[in-house]
Amino acid sequence: MALIDWTAFHFLNDLLIGHALIGDELEDFTFWSVPALAAATVGLWLVSRPGAVSRWRLAAASAVASAGLALLTNQVISHIWHRARPTEAHADAHLWFVHASHDPSFPSDHAAASFAIAVSVLLVSRRAGAAFLVAAAAISVTRVLVGLHYPGDVLGGALVGTAAALAVHHLARRPLGGVVRALGRVTDPLLAPVWRLGGSRGYPKRPLT
């Protein structure tokens, strides 16, 4: 299994050799993709009408909770099994335009968090969730291309993230509703003027109770 993982990594990692243009685009994507996914997650909350516990607010809260649970699970797994990074274990592995990391390679934190977010959104909206899944998959594959993870690392991270999202969705949906209401009392006074300026109809006169 380790040989298959290394072979797949070696193939993907070598794709950038002699392709400077692709490398430039990938470098840009590596830089902005994670902040963009985080901004999109926050955006789910911002597009929701103040004064309501909408599915978008629940999706945003679930995504954050799921990502946190996934990263915590990763810490437990990496303490049980420490897998060295590809560039530490193989002299012919390339590290492209990113700093070396000496943290455990398995499972991938980026894959775990991004898939936790994507699956959380998918559980409330197939269309939006599909877009988030594409972003999560792209982020995960990029971690292999630049030399930071084996394919098995990102696959493991994706499974952890998916499991975390399902756990939060089925076990913590009711408590999250309370969290959404509490946070809404804080954000609604800030978002209400924006909605009024936008000519939103039917905006509630009173905040969440």
Side-chain angles (χ1 to χ4, degrees):
M1 190 66 181
L3 179 59
I4 296 175
D5 211 14
W6 161 246
T7 302
F9 166 84
H10 193 56
F11 171 77
L12 293 171
N13 187 233
D14 283 354
L15 289 178
L16 297 184
I17 297 177
H19 296 85
L21 181 60
I22 297 177
D24 290 341
E25 296 298 328
L26 192 61
E27 184 176 8
D28 291 338
F29 179 80
T30 302
F31 176 77
W32 60 258
S33 57
V34 174
L37 184 65
T41 304
V42 175
L44 295 176
W45 184 281
L46 299 179
V47 300
S48 300
R49 183 187 302 276
V53 181
S54 71
R55 62 173 180 163
W56 298 118
R57 287 191 172 186
L58 284 172
S62 296
V64 173
S66 299
L69 178 59
L71 293 175
L72 180 61
T73 303
N74 273 12
Q75 289 297 309
V76 174
I77 295 174
S78 64
H79 277 81
I80 296 174
W81 179 42
H82 187 287
R83 187 185 198 188
R85 297 276 179 163
T87 50
E88 294 179 325
H90 301 277
D92 51 348
H94 304 287
L95 192 65
W96 303 104
F97 46 76
V98 291
H99 297 294
S101 175
H102 303 290
D103 294 334
S105 190
F106 181 88
S108 165
D109 285 342
H110 281 72
S114 59
F115 269 91
I117 292 171
V119 174
S120 295
V121 177
L122 181 68
L123 290 169
V124 300
S125 170
R126 291 184 179 179
R127 181 174 298 180
F132 274 76
L133 279 176
V134 170
I139 290 172
S140 299
V141 172
T142 299
R143 306 303 286 177
V144 180
L145 290 171
V146 301
L148 286 171
H149 285 288
Y150 296 99
D153 299 336
V154 298
L155 178 59
L159 292 175
V160 169
T162 299
L166 291 172
V168 169
H169 180 76
H170 291 293
L171 301 178
R173 192 170 181 83
R174 182 171 295 179
L176 278 175
V179 172
V180 168
R181 290 185 178 88
L183 290 177
R185 295 189 183 97
V186 176
T187 62
D188 283 349
L190 302 175
L191 296 176
V194 178
W195 276 76
R196 292 194 181 98
L197 286 175
S200 175
R201 297 180 179 180
Y203 173 74
K205 296 181 180 179
R206 299 168 64 181
L208 289 169
T209 58

